[in-house]
Amino acid sequence: MVTNTSGKKKTAVARATVREGEGRIRINSQPVELVEPEMARLKMLEPFRIAGDDLRDSVDIDVTVNGGGFSGQADAVRTALARGLVQHLNDAELREAYMQFDRSLLVNDVRQSEPKKWGGPGARARYQKSYR
């Protein structure tokens, strides 16, 4: 059985395909072990640390991720992986474990940066006013 899921964080979107296999995880056609920086890799593999590494040996996962920076992409991949595993295994206990650890493993973070407006250097800040 093949399961397709997605995860989002800021402007990053990750799409994951989970199928039976022998533990291969590829991010943009590259093994997850080659992902840099290391903090992003550790964040991406969080769902397996909670579920147990024996689970990893039974599935193959292909993830394509685009948009955003490395941190947003790592969060998007993490959500896509966790959702994919829960859906593929149809396991309520795993879902509860993820929800207890961190809700953002299964639920997208909808916060986006506010667009810049006229009259200032940023979204809310205004240019300084001079009286002299």
Side-chain angles (χ1 to χ4, degrees), residues 2-15:
V2 177
T3 307
N4 292 315
T5 55
S6 68
K8 290 181 182 180
K9 173 75 170 162
K10 294 186 179 178
T11 56
V13 180
R15 293 175 189 86

Side-chain angles (χ1 to χ4, degrees), residues 5-68:
T5 55
S6 68
K8 290 181 182 180
K9 173 75 170 162
K10 294 186 179 178
T11 56
V13 180
R15 293 175 189 86
T17 305
V18 183
R19 59 175 63 91
E20 303 297 323
E22 54 266 358
R24 273 189 240 118
I25 300 171
R26 299 172 89 65
I27 314 287
N28 289 339
S29 303
Q30 183 182 41
V32 72
E33 288 78 20
L34 301 179
V35 172
E36 287 295 328
E38 188 184 0
M39 286 307 295
R41 182 179 341 117
L42 293 173
K43 187 151 228 170
M44 287 176 186
L45 294 174
E46 237 170 33
F48 292 107
R49 273 204 296 290
I50 298 160
D53 285 325
D54 55 321
L55 174 68
R56 182 177 172 175
D57 298 332
S58 63
V59 291
D60 280 351
I61 303 176
D62 289 316
V63 182
T64 56
V65 59
N66 52 14

Side-chain angles (χ1 to χ4, degrees), residues 42-100:
L42 293 173
K43 187 151 228 170
M44 287 176 186
L45 294 174
E46 237 170 33
F48 292 107
R49 273 204 296 290
I50 298 160
D53 285 325
D54 55 321
L55 174 68
R56 182 177 172 175
D57 298 332
S58 63
V59 291
D60 280 351
I61 303 176
D62 289 316
V63 182
T64 56
V65 59
N66 52 14
F70 68 86
S71 183
Q73 285 191 352
D75 277 333
V77 167
R78 170 181 184 244
T79 301
L81 286 178
R83 278 185 177 175
L85 289 172
V86 167
Q87 220 174 71
H88 186 74
L89 300 169
N90 206 8
D91 189 355
E93 283 181 27
L94 183 61
R95 183 181 168 79
E96 274 308 307
Y98 284 155
M99 281 301 232
Q100 271 187 338

